[in-house]
Amino acid sequence: MSVLVNGSPTREFGVSRELRQGDPLSPSLYVIVAEGLTGLVRKIIEVGDFGRLAINGACWVDILQFADVTLIVGDGSWKQMWAIKAVLRAFELVSGLGINYNKSKLIGINTSNNFMEAASYFLSCKVEQSNFYFLGIPVGCNPRKESTWNPILLKKNRLEGWTNRFLNLGGRITLLKSILSSLAIFTMSFYKMPVKVVKKFTRIQNNFLWGGGGIGGKKEDSLARYGDLSSQVFSGGDGKLSSTYSFWWRDILKIGKDSFRDPIVACCNYVVHNGFNTPFWESRWIEGIILKEEYPNLFLASCLKRVSVAAMGSWKKGVWQWGDFGINPVILENTEFLHNFISLRERLEGFSMNEEGKDNVE
């Protein structure tokens, strides 16, 4: 080897030490060495000791290599077995590398079991079924069968070590893409996925993305597992905050109790009964409007801004009566203020309250 210094090679030197694991030079050197195996296979084909597999007379296959995976294809004869053994032994002697025969497999198609057993003993390797995986793609399997996709579905176990509680939405999506979706998409580039398998994949993805943890949750139960939304949110302090609740669910439960300023309040539709947990000015509780936006001058003039609907009136002999909304009578001498005040009273006049019921949200 030699090293380039400012574009000029140094004097050559011999390599006497191995590369460390993970060295970026290692893959390049392996490709160079593995190319020697290809040259040996082509040489025995050239001398007539090894026959390539012909496909429809238009394509010939002898050796397939990708990274550290090598597949040698030939006819099922003893001449082929001797040629393969000679090539592998020659490669070991020339490269100095050792072939792990315990991990090597012999696959026979339309070949007798007796020949396969004898050939595997001759090559010191194991016999593999005709249905096998090459580069992660099932070969010789029926892609229409659900069982063909089971090994990929079992990859969901990699998700079980993660809990949604500690991952945000972006993290869960990244995991799904890198673990489950990428495997399925890679296989689907060769085979069409059955409808049943598609539904299983979708269910696993939904459970992990929206479930409470791992892959055991259900999409439709992702909120319901905390209890009925309307019974806990805006419950007037009656709802208990369990230690298992996430921080965002705790914030939702606090809405209507001590945080009328929360932006989410304006996005909710309230159903008012006793009015104790519904913001009067900030929420949508009557005709789908927000009163502080409909009557901005009255909201600014009112001394009762961050209050509930119940604070704007009182029960007298079982009948609800609205008050003055915290507006000074002097201000109502202004014609514009008086007109808006009358409009607000008329809008609320036919609204019915329930002294016993609790507010909820839709």
Side-chain angles (χ1 to χ4, degrees):
M1 298 184 65
S2 63
V3 180
L4 291 177
V5 179
N6 296 330
S8 301
T10 64
R11 186 176 59 181
E12 294 184 352
F13 57 91
V15 179
S16 59
R17 294 182 180 274
E18 298 178 353
L19 296 175
R20 63 179 176 83
Q21 185 176 4
D23 193 300
L25 187 61
S26 180
S28 299
L29 293 179
Y30 179 83
V31 171
I32 294 174
V33 175
E35 184 66 22
L37 179 60
T38 303
L40 290 173
V41 172
R42 290 174 180 172
K43 185 63 178 179
I44 61 172
I45 293 174
E46 182 181 338
V47 299
D49 290 337
F50 190 82
R52 297 184 297 177
L53 179 65
I55 302 177
N56 296 330
C59 179
W60 290 268
V61 181
D62 44 51
I63 182 172
L64 301 174
Q65 291 177 292
F66 185 84
D68 59 344
V69 179
T70 300
L71 185 64
I72 300 176
V73 183
D75 295 333
S77 64
W78 280 110
K79 182 180 180 179
Q80 302 278 344
M81 297 299 104
W82 277 102
I84 292 175
K85 189 166 186 176
V87 167
L88 295 179
R89 181 55 182 160
F91 179 73
E92 288 181 321
L93 294 174
V94 173
S95 65
L97 299 176
I99 296 176
N100 190 340
Y101 289 96
N102 290 326
K103 290 186 177 180
S104 301
K105 304 292 181 63
L106 186 65
I107 303 171
I109 300 176
N110 296 329
T111 307
S112 65
N113 293 333
N114 293 334
F115 176 82
M116 291 299 298
E117 291 179 4
S120 64
Y121 179 80
F122 177 73
L123 295 176
S124 301
C125 61
K126 298 179 180 179
V127 177
E128 179 72 7
Q129 299 295 326
S130 59
N131 299 337
F132 63 98
Y133 281 80
F134 182 67
L135 302 179
I137 298 296
V139 179
C141 302
N142 186 354
R144 295 182 179 86
K145 290 186 177 180
E146 188 176 345
S147 58
T148 302
W149 300 83
N150 285 339
I152 301 177
L153 288 170
L154 292 176
K155 298 296 183 181
K156 68 182 181 180
N157 295 333
R158 297 184 184 179
L159 297 174
E160 293 179 348
W162 296 86
T163 305
N164 292 10
R165 181 179 178 183
F166 304 108
L167 292 173
N168 58 20
L169 182 61
R172 296 196 294 272
I173 292 176
T174 302
L175 271 180
L176 286 175
K177 288 183 177 180
S178 62
I179 294 179
L180 196 61
S181 298
S182 60
L183 293 173
I185 292 174
F186 179 60
T187 308
M188 288 172 65
S189 63
F190 293 86
Y191 304 121
K192 181 180 179 181
M193 183 180 289
V195 177
K196 290 184 178 179
V197 180
V198 173
K199 292 180 179 180
K200 284 188 175 182
F201 267 102
T202 304
R203 183 165 61 250
I204 293 172
Q205 290 174 327
N206 288 341
N207 288 343
F208 183 77
L209 186 62
W210 303 108
I215 57 175
K218 294 183 178 180
K219 181 180 178 181
E220 60 271 18
D221 294 336
S222 57
L223 287 180
R225 62 194 178 91
Y226 292 109
D228 180 64
L229 182 65
S230 61
S231 66
Q232 293 200 44
V233 181
F234 321 110
S235 59
D238 295 335
K240 297 181 180 180
L241 301 180
S242 172
S243 59
T244 61
Y245 293 173
S246 60
F247 66 91
W248 58 268
W249 186 256
R250 289 170 177 267
D251 290 341
I252 290 179
L253 291 181
K254 292 177 182 179
I255 298 173
K257 298 176 183 178
D258 56 0
S259 181
F260 285 1
R261 296 179 176 87
D262 199 302
I264 199 174
V265 169
C267 302
C268 300
N269 292 319
Y270 288 70
V271 178
V272 177
H273 293 285
N274 59 16
F276 281 102
N277 304 116
T278 301
F280 179 82
W281 295 105
E282 295 90 344
S283 64
R284 301 177 186 275
W285 61 276
I286 183 170
E287 299 179 3
I289 64 172
I290 299 176
L291 293 179
K292 77 172 185 179
E293 296 178 358
E294 190 76 7
Y295 305 98
N297 57 350
L298 294 182
F299 173 72
L300 294 175
S302 176
C303 63
L304 301 175
K305 289 184 172 63
R306 313 293 179 186
V307 297
S308 64
V309 174
M312 290 301 194
S314 60
W315 292 94
K316 295 182 178 180
K317 297 182 179 181
V319 179
W320 175 257
Q321 295 183 1
W322 295 103
D324 56 10
F325 309 121
I327 299 176
N328 194 317
V330 177
I331 298 178
L332 297 180
E333 294 178 0
N334 183 294
T335 305
E336 181 180 356
F337 278 89
L338 179 61
H339 175 76
N340 289 336
F341 182 83
I342 294 175
S343 174
L344 177 59
R345 291 298 296 261
E346 291 177 348
R347 172 166 279 169
L348 300 177
E349 195 65 34
F351 187 81
S352 59
M353 300 275 285
N354 184 351
E355 190 173 2
E356 301 297 330
K358 294 183 179 180
D359 301 347
N360 54 43
V361 63
E362 294 181 343

